Amino acid sequence: MILPLISAIMLWTALRNLGTAESGFTGFLKTLLLPLAAFIVAYAVYRMAIEKAATLFSVGYVLAGIVGLVSILIVGASLFMGTLPGLIIKQVEERRLQVYASETARYSDVRTAHGAQAGRVVPVVMAIAADLDTKTECEKTSSCVSLRGSGGYGSTTRTLEALASRAAAVRDEAAAGLQQRDAVRGELADHLARMGTVLADEDRDVWERRIALRELDAGLEQLLNRLDEAVPTAMLAAYAGELRTGVNIPDRPDVTARVNALLAGYAANLETVLGQAGTGAIERPAFPPRTGAIQTLSYVGEFAPVALLVLSVELVFPLVLWVYTVLSLLWARYQANPDDNGPAPRESDFDDLTNLRPIDVPKRRRVRKLVESDDDQDVDDTPPVRRGRAR
């Protein structure tokens, strides 16, 4: 009785941890009736297996032994499958949340590295704007681009000023994005630290920590999107396309070709850095669903001591008790009758034929001798009894 009672208490604890204990009278009945039913079934099956099946098996009823063993296996396995997940589900849930936090931190590092690659575009834009300013001033003073005259404010100068102004605007926007990226990186680091603090708070129930992490997970994606959008890579790609298109200076085909070659070089440098800032092939880790009873079994190896203890209580001990009971009964039977080698073999319909012996026909001398001995009073006239099954 003690062993099924312990199993029922363990099952009651497991059901509460699994979340089946709903509020109200219905939840109370559920957590009360299931362990009670498990206790009754386990007690009845174990007792019948020990008192009935073991006894019958020891005297030759093999079917009784099979039924006893199978019933113990079914009940013990059911109790084990229902009890173990509930005993380790909180630890398994915490382990799964830890794995999610580690994967999320790695994913954030990749996204942060992508943001750093995008930040390398800003110095390129700054260099383009500075070089265009230099070319504009040079054209004003010495016509170093058009190679005609000794300076002045002509069509080439006006074209270079427009290009320099556009480059300055792109540079300022990229620089502002770079500052914003650094600010978002700080917020992201604080956000990940809060997630780690919530997960490490063992004073709170794991289900409460799960809810808090779920809320922080929703805010994490917003920070990562802000990080990606801090440096305007889409705008810089469009600007590279503008540089690749070039300009047209009226009546100056040679100067136009010279300026477009310069702009093409800027576009090539910008496109090279933008290509290196591509997103990595990493997928955003999904927030894990609530741990179920079956999912806990995949972590049995990490909780092997608890699993072995529950297995011993629910299954190993009843089987061992049954086996030792059978062995004790067989030994007691042997001590009571050591010469008994087991039940006599069952006879078939052909035993009377196979047990027949050939008749020895007596000779005449032996017949006479037998006739003379009939007068002897010591001779037993009782006919011999034929051994074997009566017909």
Side-chain angles (χ1 to χ4, degrees), residues 13-53:
T13 305
L15 292 176
R16 293 182 61 86
N17 291 337
L18 286 173
T20 57
E22 303 172 357
S23 60
F25 185 70
T26 303
F28 173 76
L29 282 181
K30 185 184 296 185
T31 55
L32 177 64
L33 293 180
L34 288 178
L36 180 61
F39 167 75
I40 295 174
V41 171
Y43 174 74
V45 169
Y46 292 162
R47 182 159 186 171
M48 287 188 292
I50 296 298
E51 296 183 357
K52 303 296 182 180

mmCIF file of all heavy atoms in Angstrom, residues 13-53:
data_model
loop_
_atom_site.group_PDB
_atom_site.id
_atom_site.type_symbol
_atom_site.label_atom_id
_atom_site.label_comp_id
_atom_site.label_asym_id
_atom_site.label_seq_id
_atom_site.Cartn_x
_atom_site.Cartn_y
_atom_site.Cartn_z
ATOM 1 N N THR A 13 1.683 16.053 -7.231
ATOM 2 C CA THR A 13 2.641 17.151 -7.389
ATOM 3 C C THR A 13 2.921 17.421 -8.864
ATOM 4 O O THR A 13 3.015 18.579 -9.294
ATOM 5 C CB THR A 13 3.943 16.809 -6.655
ATOM 6 O OG1 THR A 13 3.662 16.506 -5.287
ATOM 7 C CG2 THR A 13 4.925 17.963 -6.722
ATOM 8 N N ALA A 14 3.059 16.361 -9.639
ATOM 9 C CA ALA A 14 3.347 16.524 -11.067
ATOM 10 C C ALA A 14 2.201 17.212 -11.791
ATOM 11 O O ALA A 14 2.414 18.075 -12.645
ATOM 12 C CB ALA A 14 3.626 15.154 -11.693
ATOM 13 N N LEU A 15 0.969 16.847 -11.454
ATOM 14 C CA LEU A 15 -0.180 17.464 -12.114
ATOM 15 C C LEU A 15 -0.262 18.954 -11.810
ATOM 16 O O LEU A 15 -0.615 19.762 -12.678
ATOM 17 C CB LEU A 15 -1.466 16.765 -11.675
ATOM 18 C CG LEU A 15 -1.645 15.322 -12.160
ATOM 19 C CD1 LEU A 15 -2.917 14.720 -11.579
ATOM 20 C CD2 LEU A 15 -1.688 15.268 -13.684
ATOM 21 N N ARG A 16 0.066 19.343 -10.614
ATOM 22 C CA ARG A 16 0.065 20.774 -10.278
ATOM 23 C C ARG A 16 1.144 21.518 -11.052
ATOM 24 O O ARG A 16 0.932 22.644 -11.520
ATOM 25 C CB ARG A 16 0.263 20.958 -8.773
ATOM 26 C CG ARG A 16 -0.911 20.440 -7.942
ATOM 27 C CD ARG A 16 -0.676 20.705 -6.459
ATOM 28 N NE ARG A 16 -0.553 22.135 -6.201
ATOM 29 C CZ ARG A 16 -1.555 22.959 -5.979
ATOM 30 N NH1 ARG A 16 -2.802 22.488 -6.006
ATOM 31 N NH2 ARG A 16 -1.364 24.234 -5.738
ATOM 32 N N ASN A 17 2.308 20.910 -11.205
ATOM 33 C CA ASN A 17 3.384 21.567 -11.960
ATOM 34 C C ASN A 17 3.073 21.630 -13.452
ATOM 35 O O ASN A 17 3.524 22.554 -14.141
ATOM 36 C CB ASN A 17 4.708 20.831 -11.744
ATOM 37 C CG ASN A 17 5.221 20.987 -10.331
ATOM 38 O OD1 ASN A 17 4.871 21.934 -9.622
ATOM 39 N ND2 ASN A 17 6.049 20.056 -9.899
ATOM 40 N N LEU A 18 2.320 20.660 -13.946
ATOM 41 C CA LEU A 18 1.972 20.659 -15.365
ATOM 42 C C LEU A 18 0.914 21.697 -15.711
ATOM 43 O O LEU A 18 0.644 21.926 -16.904
ATOM 44 C CB LEU A 18 1.475 19.269 -15.780
ATOM 45 C CG LEU A 18 2.535 18.180 -15.900
ATOM 46 C CD1 LEU A 18 1.880 16.828 -16.143
ATOM 47 C CD2 LEU A 18 3.510 18.491 -17.024
ATOM 48 N N GLY A 19 0.310 22.307 -14.722
ATOM 49 C CA GLY A 19 -0.688 23.329 -14.989
ATOM 50 C C GLY A 19 -2.091 22.787 -15.148
ATOM 51 O O GLY A 19 -2.984 23.512 -15.591
ATOM 52 N N THR A 20 -2.320 21.522 -14.800
ATOM 53 C CA THR A 20 -3.668 20.958 -14.914
ATOM 54 C C THR A 20 -4.550 21.353 -13.739
ATOM 55 O O THR A 20 -5.760 21.142 -13.784
ATOM 56 C CB THR A 20 -3.593 19.434 -14.994
ATOM 57 O OG1 THR A 20 -2.909 18.929 -13.842
ATOM 58 C CG2 THR A 20 -2.848 18.997 -16.237
ATOM 59 N N ALA A 21 -3.944 21.910 -12.692
ATOM 60 C CA ALA A 21 -4.716 22.317 -11.518
ATOM 61 C C ALA A 21 -5.371 23.667 -11.801
ATOM 62 O O ALA A 21 -4.827 24.721 -11.508
ATOM 63 C CB ALA A 21 -3.819 22.401 -10.285
ATOM 64 N N GLU A 22 -6.528 23.625 -12.388
ATOM 65 C CA GLU A 22 -7.253 24.851 -12.695
ATOM 66 C C GLU A 22 -7.869 25.428 -11.422
ATOM 67 O O GLU A 22 -8.025 24.746 -10.409
ATOM 68 C CB GLU A 22 -8.348 24.564 -13.730
ATOM 69 C CG GLU A 22 -7.818 23.946 -15.013
ATOM 70 C CD GLU A 22 -8.947 23.495 -15.917
ATOM 71 O OE1 GLU A 22 -10.120 23.627 -15.507
ATOM 72 O OE2 GLU A 22 -8.650 23.004 -17.013
ATOM 73 N N SER A 23 -8.217 26.682 -11.501
ATOM 74 C CA SER A 23 -8.833 27.319 -10.352
ATOM 75 C C SER A 23 -10.284 26.861 -10.227
ATOM 76 O O SER A 23 -10.939 26.517 -11.208
ATOM 77 C CB SER A 23 -8.777 28.844 -10.508
ATOM 78 O OG SER A 23 -9.464 29.239 -11.685
ATOM 79 N N GLY A 24 -10.763 26.859 -8.988
ATOM 80 C CA GLY A 24 -12.147 26.487 -8.761
ATOM 81 C C GLY A 24 -12.321 25.019 -8.404
ATOM 82 O O GLY A 24 -11.360 24.257 -8.227
ATOM 83 N N PHE A 25 -13.578 24.634 -8.310
ATOM 84 C CA PHE A 25 -13.917 23.278 -7.895
ATOM 85 C C PHE A 25 -13.506 22.240 -8.931
ATOM 86 O O PHE A 25 -13.124 21.119 -8.588
ATOM 87 C CB PHE A 25 -15.424 23.198 -7.627
ATOM 88 C CG PHE A 25 -15.862 21.881 -7.072
ATOM 89 C CD1 PHE A 25 -15.529 21.497 -5.782
ATOM 90 C CD2 PHE A 25 -16.600 21.005 -7.853
ATOM 91 C CE1 PHE A 25 -15.929 20.272 -5.279
ATOM 92 C CE2 PHE A 25 -17.009 19.778 -7.357
ATOM 93 C CZ PHE A 25 -16.674 19.416 -6.053
ATOM 94 N N THR A 26 -13.561 22.603 -10.225
ATOM 95 C CA THR A 26 -13.183 21.659 -11.278
ATOM 96 C C THR A 26 -11.706 21.289 -11.196
ATOM 97 O O THR A 26 -11.332 20.115 -11.299
ATOM 98 C CB THR A 26 -13.483 22.269 -12.656
ATOM 99 O OG1 THR A 26 -14.861 22.625 -12.725
ATOM 100 C CG2 THR A 26 -13.154 21.270 -13.759
ATOM 101 N N GLY A 27 -10.854 22.291 -11.004
ATOM 102 C CA GLY A 27 -9.431 21.995 -10.859
ATOM 103 C C GLY A 27 -9.132 21.172 -9.629
ATOM 104 O O GLY A 27 -8.268 20.289 -9.652
ATOM 105 N N PHE A 28 -9.874 21.431 -8.530
ATOM 106 C CA PHE A 28 -9.682 20.637 -7.313
ATOM 107 C C PHE A 28 -10.044 19.180 -7.548
ATOM 108 O O PHE A 28 -9.320 18.266 -7.123
ATOM 109 C CB PHE A 28 -10.519 21.237 -6.181
ATOM 110 C CG PHE A 28 -10.526 20.399 -4.940
ATOM 111 C CD1 PHE A 28 -9.428 20.385 -4.095
ATOM 112 C CD2 PHE A 28 -11.620 19.612 -4.617
ATOM 113 C CE1 PHE A 28 -9.432 19.602 -2.947
ATOM 114 C CE2 PHE A 28 -11.636 18.832 -3.472
ATOM 115 C CZ PHE A 28 -10.534 18.829 -2.630
ATOM 116 N N LEU A 29 -11.169 18.941 -8.222
ATOM 117 C CA LEU A 29 -11.570 17.562 -8.507
ATOM 118 C C LEU A 29 -10.559 16.863 -9.406
ATOM 119 O O LEU A 29 -10.249 15.680 -9.217
ATOM 120 C CB LEU A 29 -12.951 17.549 -9.161
ATOM 121 C CG LEU A 29 -14.160 17.742 -8.250
ATOM 122 C CD1 LEU A 29 -15.443 17.676 -9.064
ATOM 123 C CD2 LEU A 29 -14.187 16.699 -7.136
ATOM 124 N N LYS A 30 -10.041 17.600 -10.393
ATOM 125 C CA LYS A 30 -9.091 16.979 -11.325
ATOM 126 C C LYS A 30 -7.828 16.535 -10.602
ATOM 127 O O LYS A 30 -7.339 15.408 -10.810
ATOM 128 C CB LYS A 30 -8.749 17.962 -12.438
ATOM 129 C CG LYS A 30 -7.873 17.367 -13.523
ATOM 130 C CD LYS A 30 -7.479 18.404 -14.542
ATOM 131 C CE LYS A 30 -8.692 18.936 -15.280
ATOM 132 N NZ LYS A 30 -8.291 19.876 -16.358
ATOM 133 N N THR A 31 -7.291 17.385 -9.772
ATOM 134 C CA THR A 31 -6.062 17.039 -9.063
ATOM 135 C C THR A 31 -6.299 16.044 -7.940
ATOM 136 O O THR A 31 -5.341 15.474 -7.413
ATOM 137 C CB THR A 31 -5.405 18.306 -8.491
ATOM 138 O OG1 THR A 31 -6.362 18.991 -7.662
ATOM 139 C CG2 THR A 31 -4.942 19.216 -9.596
ATOM 140 N N LEU A 32 -7.555 15.847 -7.558
ATOM 141 C CA LEU A 32 -7.857 14.875 -6.510
ATOM 142 C C LEU A 32 -8.202 13.507 -7.073
ATOM 143 O O LEU A 32 -7.716 12.472 -6.587
ATOM 144 C CB LEU A 32 -9.022 15.387 -5.646
ATOM 145 C CG LEU A 32 -9.501 14.442 -4.537
ATOM 146 C CD1 LEU A 32 -8.391 14.239 -3.514
ATOM 147 C CD2 LEU A 32 -10.755 14.989 -3.872
ATOM 148 N N LEU A 33 -9.027 13.488 -8.126
ATOM 149 C CA LEU A 33 -9.509 12.212 -8.638
ATOM 150 C C LEU A 33 -8.431 11.448 -9.397
ATOM 151 O O LEU A 33 -8.359 10.215 -9.303
ATOM 152 C CB LEU A 33 -10.721 12.451 -9.545
ATOM 153 C CG LEU A 33 -11.981 12.973 -8.838
ATOM 154 C CD1 LEU A 33 -13.103 13.179 -9.843
ATOM 155 C CD2 LEU A 33 -12.424 12.000 -7.743
ATOM 156 N N LEU A 34 -7.608 12.138 -10.165
ATOM 157 C CA LEU A 34 -6.580 11.430 -10.933
ATOM 158 C C LEU A 34 -5.580 10.703 -10.029
ATOM 159 O O LEU A 34 -5.317 9.505 -10.228
ATOM 160 C CB LEU A 34 -5.874 12.401 -11.868
ATOM 161 C CG LEU A 34 -6.691 12.876 -13.084
ATOM 162 C CD1 LEU A 34 -5.896 13.867 -13.913
ATOM 163 C CD2 LEU A 34 -7.108 11.691 -13.940
ATOM 164 N N PRO A 35 -5.004 11.345 -9.016
ATOM 165 C CA PRO A 35 -4.115 10.591 -8.119
ATOM 166 C C PRO A 35 -4.842 9.494 -7.345
ATOM 167 O O PRO A 35 -4.278 8.424 -7.101
ATOM 168 C CB PRO A 35 -3.561 11.665 -7.176
ATOM 169 C CG PRO A 35 -3.686 12.941 -7.929
ATOM 170 C CD PRO A 35 -4.944 12.788 -8.720
ATOM 171 N N LEU A 36 -6.115 9.758 -6.959
ATOM 172 C CA LEU A 36 -6.866 8.732 -6.252
ATOM 173 C C LEU A 36 -7.105 7.514 -7.133
ATOM 174 O O LEU A 36 -6.938 6.356 -6.697
ATOM 175 C CB LEU A 36 -8.198 9.311 -5.767
ATOM 176 C CG LEU A 36 -9.117 8.347 -5.007
ATOM 177 C CD1 LEU A 36 -8.430 7.855 -3.749
ATOM 178 C CD2 LEU A 36 -10.438 9.031 -4.669
ATOM 179 N N ALA A 37 -7.470 7.763 -8.389
ATOM 180 C CA ALA A 37 -7.671 6.645 -9.311
ATOM 181 C C ALA A 37 -6.366 5.909 -9.561
ATOM 182 O O ALA A 37 -6.333 4.670 -9.640
ATOM 183 C CB ALA A 37 -8.258 7.160 -10.634
ATOM 184 N N ALA A 38 -5.277 6.646 -9.685
ATOM 185 C CA ALA A 38 -3.979 5.999 -9.891
ATOM 186 C C ALA A 38 -3.599 5.139 -8.690
ATOM 187 O O ALA A 38 -3.040 4.035 -8.847
ATOM 188 C CB ALA A 38 -2.909 7.063 -10.140
ATOM 189 N N PHE A 39 -3.892 5.623 -7.473
ATOM 190 C CA PHE A 39 -3.591 4.834 -6.276
ATOM 191 C C PHE A 39 -4.393 3.534 -6.266
ATOM 192 O O PHE A 39 -3.864 2.450 -5.981
ATOM 193 C CB PHE A 39 -3.902 5.654 -5.024
ATOM 194 C CG PHE A 39 -3.921 4.855 -3.765
ATOM 195 C CD1 PHE A 39 -2.739 4.429 -3.182
ATOM 196 C CD2 PHE A 39 -5.123 4.503 -3.165
ATOM 197 C CE1 PHE A 39 -2.749 3.679 -2.030
ATOM 198 C CE2 PHE A 39 -5.147 3.753 -2.002
ATOM 199 C CZ PHE A 39 -3.960 3.339 -1.432
ATOM 200 N N ILE A 40 -5.691 3.612 -6.572
ATOM 201 C CA ILE A 40 -6.535 2.416 -6.541
ATOM 202 C C ILE A 40 -6.071 1.399 -7.580
ATOM 203 O O ILE A 40 -5.936 0.199 -7.296
ATOM 204 C CB ILE A 40 -8.008 2.809 -6.770
ATOM 205 C CG1 ILE A 40 -8.508 3.665 -5.607
ATOM 206 C CG2 ILE A 40 -8.876 1.573 -6.940
ATOM 207 C CD1 ILE A 40 -9.907 4.218 -5.813
ATOM 208 N N VAL A 41 -5.802 1.881 -8.791
ATOM 209 C CA VAL A 41 -5.379 0.969 -9.859
ATOM 210 C C VAL A 41 -4.040 0.335 -9.523
ATOM 211 O O VAL A 41 -3.843 -0.881 -9.673
ATOM 212 C CB VAL A 41 -5.319 1.731 -11.199
ATOM 213 C CG1 VAL A 41 -4.677 0.859 -12.274
ATOM 214 C CG2 VAL A 41 -6.714 2.142 -11.638
ATOM 215 N N ALA A 42 -3.073 1.151 -9.093
ATOM 216 C CA ALA A 42 -1.748 0.615 -8.792
ATOM 217 C C ALA A 42 -1.809 -0.386 -7.637
ATOM 218 O O ALA A 42 -1.184 -1.458 -7.697
ATOM 219 C CB ALA A 42 -0.788 1.761 -8.460
ATOM 220 N N TYR A 43 -2.569 -0.037 -6.595
ATOM 221 C CA TYR A 43 -2.667 -0.946 -5.449
ATOM 222 C C TYR A 43 -3.307 -2.269 -5.846
ATOM 223 O O TYR A 43 -2.818 -3.354 -5.492
ATOM 224 C CB TYR A 43 -3.468 -0.281 -4.331
ATOM 225 C CG TYR A 43 -3.741 -1.187 -3.164
ATOM 226 C CD1 TYR A 43 -2.736 -1.509 -2.260
ATOM 227 C CD2 TYR A 43 -5.010 -1.733 -2.973
ATOM 228 C CE1 TYR A 43 -2.986 -2.349 -1.191
ATOM 229 C CE2 TYR A 43 -5.266 -2.575 -1.904
ATOM 230 C CZ TYR A 43 -4.255 -2.881 -1.017
ATOM 231 O OH TYR A 43 -4.499 -3.722 0.037
ATOM 232 N N ALA A 44 -4.396 -2.198 -6.602
ATOM 233 C CA ALA A 44 -5.089 -3.425 -6.992
ATOM 234 C C ALA A 44 -4.225 -4.286 -7.911
ATOM 235 O O ALA A 44 -4.121 -5.507 -7.733
ATOM 236 C CB ALA A 44 -6.415 -3.077 -7.673
ATOM 237 N N VAL A 45 -3.605 -3.674 -8.890
ATOM 238 C CA VAL A 45 -2.798 -4.441 -9.846
ATOM 239 C C VAL A 45 -1.592 -5.056 -9.166
ATOM 240 O O VAL A 45 -1.274 -6.240 -9.357
ATOM 241 C CB VAL A 45 -2.377 -3.526 -11.014
ATOM 242 C CG1 VAL A 45 -1.322 -4.209 -11.880
ATOM 243 C CG2 VAL A 45 -3.584 -3.171 -11.863
ATOM 244 N N TYR A 46 -0.889 -4.275 -8.343
ATOM 245 C CA TYR A 46 0.300 -4.810 -7.677
ATOM 246 C C TYR A 46 -0.068 -5.940 -6.720
ATOM 247 O O TYR A 46 0.624 -6.962 -6.642
ATOM 248 C CB TYR A 46 1.023 -3.705 -6.910
ATOM 249 C CG TYR A 46 1.654 -2.657 -7.798
ATOM 250 C CD1 TYR A 46 2.030 -1.416 -7.288
ATOM 251 C CD2 TYR A 46 1.874 -2.904 -9.151
ATOM 252 C CE1 TYR A 46 2.602 -0.455 -8.082
ATOM 253 C CE2 TYR A 46 2.446 -1.947 -9.961
ATOM 254 C CZ TYR A 46 2.809 -0.716 -9.431
ATOM 255 O OH TYR A 46 3.384 0.242 -10.229
ATOM 256 N N ARG A 47 -1.175 -5.766 -5.998
ATOM 257 C CA ARG A 47 -1.553 -6.806 -5.040
ATOM 258 C C ARG A 47 -1.975 -8.084 -5.753
ATOM 259 O O ARG A 47 -1.593 -9.191 -5.346
ATOM 260 C CB ARG A 47 -2.687 -6.298 -4.147
ATOM 261 C CG ARG A 47 -3.100 -7.316 -3.102
ATOM 262 C CD ARG A 47 -3.825 -6.683 -1.943
ATOM 263 N NE ARG A 47 -4.084 -7.649 -0.890
ATOM 264 C CZ ARG A 47 -4.551 -7.328 0.313
ATOM 265 N NH1 ARG A 47 -4.796 -6.056 0.603
ATOM 266 N NH2 ARG A 47 -4.769 -8.255 1.215
ATOM 267 N N MET A 48 -2.777 -7.953 -6.812
ATOM 268 C CA MET A 48 -3.167 -9.156 -7.545
ATOM 269 C C MET A 48 -1.968 -9.819 -8.213
ATOM 270 O O MET A 48 -1.889 -11.048 -8.293
ATOM 271 C CB MET A 48 -4.228 -8.801 -8.585
ATOM 272 C CG MET A 48 -5.593 -8.501 -7.989
ATOM 273 S SD MET A 48 -6.891 -8.294 -9.238
ATOM 274 C CE MET A 48 -6.347 -6.776 -10.013
ATOM 275 N N ALA A 49 -1.028 -9.001 -8.710
ATOM 276 C CA ALA A 49 0.152 -9.580 -9.347
ATOM 277 C C ALA A 49 1.008 -10.346 -8.347
ATOM 278 O O ALA A 49 1.568 -11.403 -8.664
ATOM 279 C CB ALA A 49 0.977 -8.474 -10.011
ATOM 280 N N ILE A 50 1.105 -9.825 -7.099
ATOM 281 C CA ILE A 50 1.928 -10.481 -6.090
ATOM 282 C C ILE A 50 1.214 -11.697 -5.490
ATOM 283 O O ILE A 50 1.789 -12.787 -5.378
ATOM 284 C CB ILE A 50 2.299 -9.478 -4.984
ATOM 285 C CG1 ILE A 50 3.163 -8.350 -5.568
ATOM 286 C CG2 ILE A 50 3.042 -10.166 -3.850
ATOM 287 C CD1 ILE A 50 4.471 -8.802 -6.128
ATOM 288 N N GLU A 51 -0.049 -11.510 -5.107
ATOM 289 C CA GLU A 51 -0.748 -12.577 -4.381
ATOM 290 C C GLU A 51 -1.337 -13.641 -5.305
ATOM 291 O O GLU A 51 -1.441 -14.794 -4.912
ATOM 292 C CB GLU A 51 -1.862 -11.974 -3.516
ATOM 293 C CG GLU A 51 -1.347 -11.061 -2.417
ATOM 294 C CD GLU A 51 -2.467 -10.547 -1.535
ATOM 295 O OE1 GLU A 51 -3.633 -10.870 -1.839
ATOM 296 O OE2 GLU A 51 -2.181 -9.835 -0.553
ATOM 297 N N LYS A 52 -1.768 -13.248 -6.483
ATOM 298 C CA LYS A 52 -2.423 -14.192 -7.376
ATOM 299 C C LYS A 52 -1.491 -14.684 -8.485
ATOM 300 O O LYS A 52 -1.237 -15.875 -8.619
ATOM 301 C CB LYS A 52 -3.669 -13.547 -7.997
ATOM 302 C CG LYS A 52 -4.680 -13.030 -6.992
ATOM 303 C CD LYS A 52 -5.270 -14.140 -6.153
ATOM 304 C CE LYS A 52 -6.327 -13.599 -5.176
ATOM 305 N NZ LYS A 52 -6.903 -14.670 -4.343
ATOM 306 N N ALA A 53 -1.016 -13.723 -9.288
ATOM 307 C CA ALA A 53 -0.235 -14.120 -10.462
ATOM 308 C C ALA A 53 1.053 -14.828 -10.075
ATOM 309 O O ALA A 53 1.433 -15.838 -10.690
ATOM 310 C CB ALA A 53 0.071 -12.884 -11.312
#
